[in-house]
Amino acid sequence: MVGSILKQERMLLLAIPAAIVAYMAEHAVFEAGKTASLIAAIALIGMIILVSVRVAHHAEILATKVGDPYGTMILTLSAVAVEVLILAIIMSESSSPTLVRDTIYSAVMIDINGILGLAALLGGLRHGEQPYNDDSGKTYGVMILTAMGISMIVPEFIPDQSWHVYSAFTIVAMIALYALFLKMQVGTHSYFFSYAYPRKARPDGQPSDSHAEEEGEEGSASLSIGLIIAGVVLIGVLAEFMAAFLSESLEGTSAPPALMAVVVATISASPEILTALRSALRNRMQAVVNIAMGASLSTVILTVPVMEGIALYTGQPFVMAMTPVQTVMVFITLIAAAINLNDGETNAIEGMTHFILFATFIMLLFLGL
């Protein structure tokens, strides 16, 4: 039993010596120059993503055991924990005042346009129209718009001398929004975020749940929770060295200013990407909506108060107001999502619209916008 678990979790085990090697070789890598730092950073990013895949796997096991929305909520919360942890670490290596803003913006673009777009596109090409509970899309959409409006659009109009007052208000507003959302998601309105898939019949005529059969009853819930926590901790340790190496390799180069933010957002989203794509190909679009939209909402509504709290503690405000280009992209994304997630079914065309918006986000990144 123990041997089987160790074999399955070899990626988690490999992360431990990787962290030790990074610690011991840190000064040598810096002395070797920018190229060596970049190679080390890429290697650590790859290791972080492999660990994230194991985190996603155990979140899927929990999702199978406890059902939606609890399982996907665990996945999104673990991703946000990774994001906040990496952000806090990178902030110690970077002096960029826009890092938090750009990371949250990038996460929303990756989650809604990247993950949801690609999943709906691939799932639509395989299954045609894919059903889900349209209450979830509407609820997520309006809350994301409200949270981003309060924390990332209105700050543009707040006088500099009043930033600390508005930051405190933002913290209270985000906590209040999330408290109500959490009560809805796991309380009396949990049906907003679930969908009753029809059971397929076995050849012998007995009903079965193919998803549950594929996942099986692997491991216990407590083991999965423990491994998720261990994975998040390992990601945090690896991220500390990754941030140092990446900062060293990008310093003085012509790399896009927001590249670091995109790296952070991509790492935090990596556990969700595989789960969402697998769910879409299994014709389980409700899980995709919960993951993509839930991750976007959790990123804004949980990351903002933590970072604003740090700003109040240090007395150094972050630039939270989005640029005009970012604001336009967010509005187009949320309007497209409101239209596409309004009828309880997604298709390849709807997925393609979001994926094109994701491609636009990447293009704007390399244009420095």
Side-chain angles (χ1 to χ4, degrees), residues 15 18 22 37-53 82 86 90 234-235 237-247 249-250 259-260 262-268 270-271:
S37 295
L38 180 60
I39 293 172
I42 292 173
L44 288 176
I45 289 172
M47 180 58 67
I48 290 171
I49 290 175
L50 290 175
V51 174
S52 296
V53 168
V82 168
I86 295 176
I90 290 183
L234 284 171
I235 288 170
V237 173
L238 293 171
E240 182 170 2
F241 298 107
M242 180 275 295
F245 293 143
L246 193 58
S247 295
S249 64
L250 296 180
L259 182 60
M260 185 75 81
V262 175
V263 170
V264 176
T266 302
I267 290 173
S268 66
S270 57

Side-chain angles (χ1 to χ4, degrees), residues 35-185:
T35 301
S37 295
L38 180 60
I39 293 172
I42 292 173
L44 288 176
I45 289 172
M47 180 58 67
I48 290 171
I49 290 175
L50 290 175
V51 174
S52 296
V53 168
R54 293 310 300 169
V55 172
H57 173 72
H58 288 287
E60 284 188 273
I61 293 174
L62 290 178
T64 301
K65 291 180 180 299
V66 302
D68 282 330
Y70 303 99
T72 49
M73 182 181 68
I74 292 170
L75 178 58
T76 56
L77 288 177
S78 65
V80 172
V82 168
E83 182 174 73
V84 171
L85 184 61
I86 295 176
L87 262 177
I89 291 169
I90 290 183
M91 281 165 53
S92 65
E93 301 286 341
S94 172
S95 59
S96 173
T98 63
L99 178 63
V100 175
R101 177 199 71 187
D102 292 340
T103 299
I104 295 174
Y105 164 72
S106 299
V108 171
M109 292 296 105
I110 291 171
D111 290 332
I112 299 180
N113 292 328
I115 296 177
L116 179 61
L118 184 59
L121 174 60
L122 296 180
L125 290 175
R126 170 173 287 192
H127 300 288
E129 294 183 325
Q130 296 185 278
Y132 65 94
N133 186 342
D134 61 334
D135 285 329
S136 57
K138 296 173 185 176
T139 303
Y140 282 126
V142 71
M143 292 197 72
I144 293 170
L145 177 60
T146 301
M148 294 197 76
I150 290 172
S151 62
M152 301 182 70
I153 296 177
V154 174
E156 176 67 28
F157 308 100
I158 302 300
D160 291 342
Q161 65 270 21
S162 302
W163 76 268
H164 56 285
V165 177
Y166 192 76
S167 289
F169 165 78
T170 302
I171 293 173
V172 174
M174 295 298 105
I175 292 175
L177 276 173
Y178 189 69
L180 177 60
F181 171 74
L182 197 61
K183 180 177 175 61
M184 289 182 60
Q185 191 177 32

Side-chain angles (χ1 to χ4, degrees), residues 198-214:
R199 288 177 174 270
K200 296 180 181 180
R202 294 195 189 100
D204 60 6
Q206 296 297 320
S208 69
D209 187 329
S210 59
H211 181 67
E213 288 180 352
E214 289 176 19

